[in-house]
Amino acid sequence: LTAIGSAVGSATALLIGGDVTSIYQGLWGFNPALTCCAIGGGIFGARGLSQLWWAVFGAVVTVFLQHALAGLLAPGGVVTFTAPFCIASLFLLGAGLVPPAAAPHDE
């Protein structure tokens, strides 16, 4: 999932006109990789094929958030760090798009 998230993030950054040098350095693949793992990896919800699609969607959304936040915060000299990952993950989890994991059974 990490490789998928990073590849989707890098490809999306290329499509929206991101700086090729920063894409090569991995700056556009890190946050989408985190989002992909958080949503699709079963950390916060059940695992399944639908979660993989939501994870890829989250990776794409993360790139757009990173691009928007970078433009918004750059005049003040502030970098985005992992804010795009946090916002995208909380949005997907808060919207109820990720079904909760099954509760463990007591034996």
Side-chain angles (χ1 to χ4, degrees):
L1 284 173
T2 306
I4 292 171
S6 183
V8 167
S10 297
T12 305
L14 277 172
L15 290 174
I16 65 170
D19 178 39
V20 177
T21 303
S22 62
I23 294 170
Y24 178 75
Q25 292 172 344
L27 299 177
W28 290 93
F30 180 69
N31 282 314
L34 293 176
T35 303
C36 202
C37 288
I39 301 302
I43 297 171
F44 299 112
R47 292 184 193 160
L49 187 58
S50 68
Q51 294 315 110
L52 176 63
W53 295 116
W54 283 116
V56 170
F57 173 74
V60 172
V61 168
T62 302
V63 172
F64 284 100
L65 283 171
Q66 184 170 347
H67 187 68
L69 285 174
L72 181 69
L73 299 175
V78 181
V79 294
T80 61
F81 293 113
T82 60
F85 150 67
C86 295
I87 294 168
S89 297
L90 287 174
F91 170 74
L92 290 171
L93 293 170
L97 300 174
V98 180
H105 299 300
D106 294 334
E107 298 190 29

